Amino acid sequence: METDNERADAVETMACPQCEGAVETVQHPEVFRYGEGASAVDLPVVLPVRRCLGCGLEFLDHQAERIKHAALCRHFGVLTPWEIREIRARHGLSRAAFAKLTGLGAASLGRWETGNSIQTLANDRYLRLLAEPGGIQRLSAITQRGPIAQGASTQEPRSSRFRCLRPDEGARREARAFRLAVEAA
């Protein structure tokens, strides 16, 4: 798998946004602070600083932001956006198909894959399980089994009186008198 800096080095040739001169890339170690107050953390990164050979302008671009985002994902112990995309792409699923299969929201997947937000730890663990060999296939088999896939109960009804759509007055009285009994352990 590519490292953050390898992704940054794979940038196309660019021109200076100020003078349109040639730009070189210099790897620069930096520490950025995430959070506020006592809970703030310092995250070390190596950022690709772009430097214009003509006017000397130094700037950061989207690659630096991706590297910072990856550092934040590592700090939280979750998958990066491209790792999430890779899980989906490995199975040849569109975002919509992946969302339908997993029950995750397509909009949430889009935000995670583009780095606009970071998934919760619970969703990250779910994604990691799906990344395991056979994970998607197992989920697909589970979702096609029937009642669970359609949200129905897996228990049989206890009495036919609960199946009545238009109960008569006697059935209504029975339903009002119904109380749940606590089973002895």
Side-chain angles (χ1 to χ4, degrees):
M1 177 161 277
E2 285 182 288
T3 66
D4 303 333
N5 287 333
E6 287 171 338
R7 287 183 185 281
D9 289 340
V11 173
E12 68 284 352
T13 304
M14 64 174 64
C16 174
Q18 185 168 293
C19 73
E20 308 228 353
V23 173
E24 71 175 350
T25 300
V26 178
Q27 300 299 324
H28 184 268
E30 191 173 307
V31 175
F32 76 95
R33 182 167 288 259
Y34 174 77
E36 296 177 2
S39 64
V41 293
D42 290 332
L43 302 173
V45 292
V46 177
L47 298 177
V49 175
R50 313 304 182 183
R51 181 180 302 142
C52 177
L53 298 173
C55 70
L57 175 70
E58 291 186 347
F59 60 97
L60 299 173
D61 62 7
H62 66 282
Q63 291 296 327
E65 292 305 315
R66 286 177 58 143
I67 291 169
K68 285 182 172 184
H69 187 85
L72 201 52
C73 289
R74 281 191 303 277
H75 170 70
F76 289 127
V78 299
L79 297 167
T80 62
W82 47 92
E83 290 170 327
I84 296 171
R85 279 193 304 271
E86 182 184 320
I87 292 168
R88 181 174 57 77
R90 189 178 325 143
H91 299 285
L93 296 171
S94 68
R95 192 175 290 155
F98 190 76
K100 184 175 181 181
L101 175 65
T102 62
L104 296 169
S108 293
L109 279 168
R111 287 189 295 271
W112 302 339
E113 289 183 358
T114 59
N116 288 325
S117 68
I118 296 176
Q119 66 278 10
T120 64
L121 189 56
N123 283 326
D124 188 78
R125 288 177 178 167
Y126 180 38
L127 290 167
R128 287 175 189 271
L129 285 172
L130 295 175
E132 290 293 314
I136 291 283
Q137 291 78 7
R138 284 188 218 125
L139 179 61
S140 184
I142 289 168
T143 60
Q144 294 177 14
R145 281 191 193 146
I148 293 175
Q150 296 155 9
S153 171
T154 58
Q155 297 179 349
E156 291 296 318
R158 291 181 171 240
S159 167
S160 63
R161 68 181 171 169
F162 294 112
R163 300 185 96 164
C164 182
L165 297 176
R166 294 181 184 214
D168 60 17
E169 189 54 41
R172 284 191 187 104
R173 270 195 303 278
E174 282 183 43
R176 281 193 292 267
F178 175 77
R179 299 287 182 255
L180 287 175
V182 178
E183 283 188 46

